[in-house]
Amino acid sequence: MKLADIAALIRSKNAGPFTLTFDIMFADQASYDRVKNSGALTQASFAKLYGYPEDKVRFFQCDNALALKFSIPRPLTQGAPGDGDMHGGQQFVPLMNVEIR
Amino acid sequence: MSNNCPIRFIAPVGSVGGGINAAALDEALAQPTDFIACDAGTTDAGPFSLGMGIPAFPREAVKRDLSLMLRAGRKANIPVIVGSAGTAGGDVHVDSVLEIVREIVAEHKLKLRTAVIYAEQDKAYLKRLLHQNRILPLDPALPISNSIIDGSSRIVGMMGVEPLQQAIGDGADFVLAGRCSDSALFAAIPVMRGFPPGLAWHAGKVSECGTLVCETLGKGVISTTVSCEQIAIRPYGNGLRCTPQSVAAHGLYENADPFLHRECSGTLDLRNATFEAVDDVTVRIRGTEFFSEPAYTVKLEGAELAGYQSIIVGGIRDPYVIRQLDSWLASVRNYIDDVVSRVLDDKADKNSYNLVFHTYGINAVMGKLEPEVKNLPHEVGIVLEATAPTQDMAHKLAELSRQPLLHYPIKEWAGSITAFACLHNPAVIDRGPVYRFNLNHVALPSTPLEMFRIHFEDLDGSTQS
């Protein structure tokens, strides 16, 4: 099953002009536990998915929010020439297809 | 300090100008309330507001919300606190909002003891701090030097609770602050009155985006009550509810770290926070902690002119071009560079300008992060972005780029081709000045108030005709 079919919301956003953050939120405990325990979402899997250095990826498990979270330094500072997503809102999409077993 | 009674505040909207639900505000204010607070700014709009010195929100929308807040505050005789005025919170931004406040005071015959707190930073002062190693980089570290400070269009410091507390302590009915921590706007009075700082700051954190803390976003206001043991947060507005998950999840929003939030005076720690439903719409928070940090730090935000920009918008449909788009665009770029150096010669050193092709349909949205580069679309949208030291040069760069984009040959076709579908005539759109954020640093002032200037003005609209 794909992550997009289990999560209630997958989103990305700036966390200040220099950081991108990705939130994966769930509607219920069972869905959260299933993804959290699947091992499909890790610093390493995120780094591979986005072609990004693993040591720069931060990963958080937020049990009381039923949410998983990644943060990375922005490849380009918000608004710098070449930046194509001023608010960082469309960077989450590759996460949608992560396979959860 | 007595704090047996809880303190209650209203967050009327996520940002001044967002559109306050007046009926919900009235309903919320039917209960005893201690203050109203709201931020009016963000860096999320981009560096232009800070660099150019103009707000990113329409004046009419800001005036409507400010008017509702100020009249509600006077009617209930409670303070109103607004921070990060005019989007970026520089002096010119604060003054533009102060002008709106004067109009509201006159139109509604209000009396308003107003504290204006300026947050823009003097460059000579910052250079002194830098010399004393009192400006430190955050991650990711950007370079800093006297010339970077001097070259900034504008630098603001993000204030904490202390300047706001000074203003409230001196009897302000209305505090209009420049760049300010969003949470500090709500934490200032509760911290001043001796409530536990963990709860006071967390109350601000969950309230500052208005109804974004609710399960589903909608038009309403947030009411937050802080006592010595807990926070209770609830919305007013049709169908809105806070749930334990929605309030906990708000700690994630636009934050790199969902558990630890650095403020000027310390760190808010959500790791032991608990969230429970009180009723269908209200959530109780307990256990949040706040640790004082050894150094008082003020975050700096700066913007500098990146140049002037002109763009051309168009598209490509030819599959032969699309399948070799990267190499074709690289050849087009080399050709443009040659034309530019021939035509503009010494006026256009190759390092003085910047050409970017945004290729919509390939990777314009995600750039280097895009994993799906193998699946080629049948059509590609292209925005050519030329950035140069003057508008005239940016315009000429874009003009000189049009012919190579149109006609640069490919081996699959014999003879002259026209590979680029221009959207407009004239093709070039001038975008004006563009800015970039150039600081990611904190300053270490010798006191929490040192970097901020507080002015009092007794505004009185009751004597005017």
Side-chain angles (χ1 to χ4, degrees), chain B residues 165-193:
Chain B
Q165 291 170 337
Q166 175 88 40
I168 292 292
D170 286 348
D173 302 319
F174 174 49
V175 181
L176 178 63
R179 190 64 174 131
C180 183
S181 149
D182 289 343
S183 303
L185 297 165
F186 303 92
I189 294 178
V191 168
M192 187 163 74
R193 294 208 192 149

Side-chain angles (χ1 to χ4, degrees), chain B residues 182-266:
Chain B
D182 289 343
S183 303
L185 297 165
F186 303 92
I189 294 178
V191 168
M192 187 163 74
R193 294 208 192 149
F195 287 91
L199 296 178
W201 281 98
H202 198 184
K205 188 87 220 161
V206 290
S207 306
E208 55 105 351
C209 284
T211 57
L212 216 57
V213 70
C214 296
E215 193 178 40
T216 311
L217 185 64
K219 283 285 180 196
V221 307
I222 295 298
S223 154
T224 308
T225 305
V226 183
S227 71
C228 287
E229 299 82 31
Q230 65 176 55
I231 303 163
I233 179 167
R234 65 157 292 183
Y236 286 82
N238 224 351
L240 292 174
R241 49 197 299 253
C242 287
T243 67
Q245 190 195 355
S246 77
V247 177
H250 191 63
L252 280 70
Y253 187 67
E254 289 184 343
N255 292 304
D257 186 322
F259 302 119
L260 299 174
H261 303 285
R262 186 72 165 90
E263 298 287 347
C264 295
S265 52

Side-chain angles (χ1 to χ4, degrees), chain A residues 13-15 17-18 21 25-26 49-50 52 58 60-62 64-67 69 71 78 81-82 84 87 90-91 94, chain B residues 43-44 46 140 142 245 248-249 252-259 273 275 354 356 358 364-366 369 371 385 437 439-440:
Chain A
K13 193 85 205 296
N14 297 338
F18 305 101
T21 194
M25 339 252 311
F26 300 91
L49 187 60
Y50 282 89
Y52 203 87
R58 303 170 71 194
F60 303 95
Q61 298 178 332
C62 311
N64 55 22
L66 303 182
K69 184 176 180 75
S71 293
Q78 178 195 15
H87 306 282
Q90 283 293 298
Q91 304 303 309
Chain B
T43 57
D44 202 43
L142 302 186
Q245 190 195 355
L252 280 70
Y253 187 67
E254 289 184 343
N255 292 304
D257 186 322
F259 302 119
F275 304 83
N354 183 21
V356 176
H358 295 273
V365 171
M366 294 192 60
L369 295 181
E385 208 175 70
F437 288 117
L439 294 177
N440 189 28

Side-chain angles (χ1 to χ4, degrees), chain B residues 68-374:
Chain B
L68 282 167
M69 289 167 65
L70 291 175
R71 283 181 285 151
R74 285 303 73 222
K75 192 173 162 196
N77 195 27
I78 53 174
V80 174
I81 304 176
V82 168
S84 301
T87 310
D91 291 1
V92 63
H93 305 90
V94 171
D95 286 338
S96 75
V97 177
L98 185 57
E99 187 187 291
I100 299 173
V101 171
R102 289 186 207 283
E103 286 176 18
I104 294 167
V105 163
E107 284 165 21
H108 296 281
K109 303 194 186 310
L110 302 178
K111 284 179 87 163
L112 201 65
R113 181 159 168 75
T114 301
V116 184
I117 311 178
Y118 290 103
E120 202 165 313
Q121 300 303 310
D122 178 63
K123 289 179 178 174
Y125 166 77
L126 290 179
K127 285 187 281 185
R128 274 201 306 280
L129 286 187
L130 181 63
H131 182 68
Q132 297 162 2
N133 292 321
R134 297 171 76 95
I135 295 184
L136 304 177
L138 298 172
D139 184 39
L142 302 186
I144 186 157
S145 63
N146 283 349
S147 63
I148 286 171
I149 292 172
D150 282 329
S152 301
S153 307
R154 195 167 279 101
I155 300 172
V156 292
M158 189 185 286
M159 74 183 77
V161 290
E162 294 81 0
L164 306 170
Q165 291 170 337
Q166 175 88 40
I168 292 292
D170 286 348
D173 302 319
F174 174 49
V175 181
L176 178 63
R179 190 64 174 131
C180 183
S181 149
D182 289 343
S183 303
L185 297 165
F186 303 92
I189 294 178
V191 168
M192 187 163 74
R193 294 208 192 149
F195 287 91
L199 296 178
W201 281 98
H202 198 184
K205 188 87 220 161
V206 290
S207 306
E208 55 105 351
C209 284
T211 57
L212 216 57
V213 70
C214 296
E215 193 178 40
T216 311
L217 185 64
K219 283 285 180 196
V221 307
I222 295 298
S223 154
T224 308
T225 305
V226 183
S227 71
C228 287
E229 299 82 31
Q230 65 176 55
I231 303 163
I233 179 167
R234 65 157 292 183
Y236 286 82
N238 224 351
L240 292 174
R241 49 197 299 253
C242 287
T243 67
Q245 190 195 355
S246 77
V247 177
H250 191 63
L252 280 70
Y253 187 67
E254 289 184 343
N255 292 304
D257 186 322
F259 302 119
L260 299 174
H261 303 285
R262 186 72 165 90
E263 298 287 347
C264 295
S265 52
T267 300
L268 179 64
D269 182 350
L270 274 59
R271 284 176 296 188
N272 293 321
T274 61
F275 304 83
E276 305 161 74
V278 176
D279 56 36
D280 279 353
V281 299
T282 310
V283 169
R284 173 167 47 223
I285 307 173
R286 289 174 167 148
T288 320
E289 293 166 295
F290 187 89
F291 300 107
S292 294
E293 296 284 348
Y296 190 94
T297 56
V298 173
K299 191 163 184 296
L300 299 175
E301 291 172 353
E304 65 185 15
L305 187 68
Y308 294 79
Q309 214 166 64
S310 296
I311 63 169
I312 296 180
V313 181
I316 295 176
R317 185 67 175 76
D318 183 341
Y320 294 161
V321 178
I322 289 174
R323 75 184 185 195
Q324 56 187 309
L325 193 62
D326 280 355
S327 59
W328 187 76
L329 284 175
S331 304
V332 169
R333 173 195 300 273
N334 286 336
Y335 191 90
I336 294 169
D337 286 338
D338 286 347
V339 172
V340 168
S341 67
R342 211 163 50 236
V343 175
L344 301 179
D345 50 52
D346 54 346
K347 274 186 280 183
D349 167 18
K350 213 167 157 181
N351 300 318
S352 71
Y353 64 85
N354 183 21
L355 287 178
V356 176
F357 296 101
H358 295 273
T359 49
Y360 284 90
I362 306 279
N363 65 354
V365 171
M366 294 192 60
K368 279 188 200 161
L369 295 181
E370 178 59 72
E372 286 183 44
V373 284
K374 293 276 188 297

